[in-house]
Amino acid sequence: MALDTRTGRRPSFAATLWGSTVGKKTVMAVSGLIMLLYLVVHMIGNLKIFFGAAEFNHYAHWLRVVGEPFMHEEWTLWLVRVVLLAAVVAHATSAYQLSRRDIKARPGKYVHRKPRSSYATRTMRWGGIILGLFLVWHLLDLTTGTVHAGFRPGHPYQNVVDTFSTWYGNVIYLVAMLALGLHIRHGFWSAAQTLGVGSRARNRALKTTANALALVLTVGFVSVPVAVMTGVVS
């Protein structure tokens, strides 16, 4: 292991791992899977809106008191938020640095065009940017109410219905969820390859799982604004 020219010391294992392409890909894969697990749980929670205002509001309240009395009110919720924030930052940073490293590794434009890749692969970077911007909007809309004119603290059901009663709220959400589906479809399979799970025998099953996860999550999330628009939820 080479010495760090700035400090004269051997870099730590974590620093060496992070400095390598494999290390960055591993960080991106693990952080992506953490976010994917959260999305599955979040989607299931969102679907409670179909059981009415009382059920949905009770679920939202439960999120704030889960773990009591061992955990103080909202401690568990904030713990989840911190883990998710760390995952988002790690995922975005590793993705950006890998992208920059890939660009620097190219001496110039390819003489021959690369084989045509899937739409999801070619839009992963833009999809990540769209999802990042949407995350900021989503928090300002339904968590803090900053961009939500009719926001009512403590009334999550009404806030959701109010958001999806506007054309721009629906457009933003639907575009983001379509980007999410494409991101998951490609990202899950890529994460499996990075973590060494993929193989010739498993690739078909992994691709099927990636497609299924992307479809289920997209349909699950999109079903809420569609239900509001059609009057199923009001």
Side-chain angles (χ1 to χ4, degrees):
M1 186 180 292
L3 294 176
D4 189 322
T5 56
R6 292 173 298 179
T7 63
R9 300 177 181 176
R10 296 184 184 277
S12 65
F13 173 76
T16 302
L17 181 65
W18 175 248
S20 69
T21 297
V22 172
K24 292 183 189 298
K25 286 184 176 180
T26 301
V27 169
M28 189 161 65
V30 172
S31 59
L33 292 175
I34 290 173
M35 290 187 288
L36 178 60
L37 177 61
Y38 168 77
L39 287 170
V40 171
V41 175
H42 187 43
M43 181 202 68
I44 294 172
N46 280 2
L47 294 179
K48 287 183 175 291
I49 201 167
F50 288 99
F51 296 95
E55 180 80 11
F56 191 73
N57 289 340
H58 177 69
Y59 163 68
H61 173 72
W62 174 81
L63 290 176
R64 298 179 179 280
V65 299
V66 64
E68 288 188 342
F70 179 72
M71 299 289 281
H72 190 65
E73 183 177 348
E74 292 195 16
W75 277 14
T76 302
L77 184 59
W78 274 105
L79 179 62
V80 172
R81 286 170 174 168
V82 169
V83 172
L84 279 173
L85 178 61
V88 169
V89 171
H91 195 77
T93 302
S94 54
Y96 173 76
Q97 293 185 0
L98 283 169
S99 178
R100 296 298 301 171
R101 183 170 292 185
D102 182 53
I103 293 172
K104 288 181 180 179
R106 303 177 192 173
K109 294 183 178 180
Y110 292 104
V111 177
H112 301 289
R113 290 174 64 107
K114 298 177 70 176
R116 186 175 181 179
S117 57
S118 68
Y119 181 78
T121 302
R122 288 184 286 116
T123 57
M124 279 293 285
R125 290 171 186 169
W126 280 109
I129 293 173
I130 290 172
L131 291 172
L133 293 174
F134 168 74
L135 179 60
V136 174
W137 165 269
H138 195 52
L139 292 173
L140 294 176
D141 181 30
L142 292 175
T143 300
T144 66
T146 306
V147 297
H148 191 147
F151 184 79
R152 298 173 60 191
H155 295 80
Y157 180 91
Q158 189 57 47
N159 290 334
V160 170
V161 171
D162 188 44
T163 284
F164 296 132
S165 295
T166 62
W167 68 268
Y168 57 86
N170 287 313
V171 170
I172 291 172
Y173 195 85
L174 292 175
V175 169
M177 292 307 101
L178 291 176
L180 176 66
L182 291 173
H183 210 76
I184 291 172
R185 180 174 177 269
H186 177 75
F188 179 82
W189 188 82
S190 295
Q193 304 305 309
T194 298
L195 298 176
V197 179
S199 67
R200 286 187 177 182
R202 297 173 184 164
N203 279 349
R204 186 172 181 178
L206 287 171
K207 287 183 178 180
T208 300
T209 302
N211 290 335
L213 277 170
L215 179 62
V216 169
L217 284 167
T218 302
V219 172
F221 281 118
V222 166
S223 66
V224 177
V226 170
V228 175
M229 284 188 286
T230 57
V232 174
V233 172
S234 61

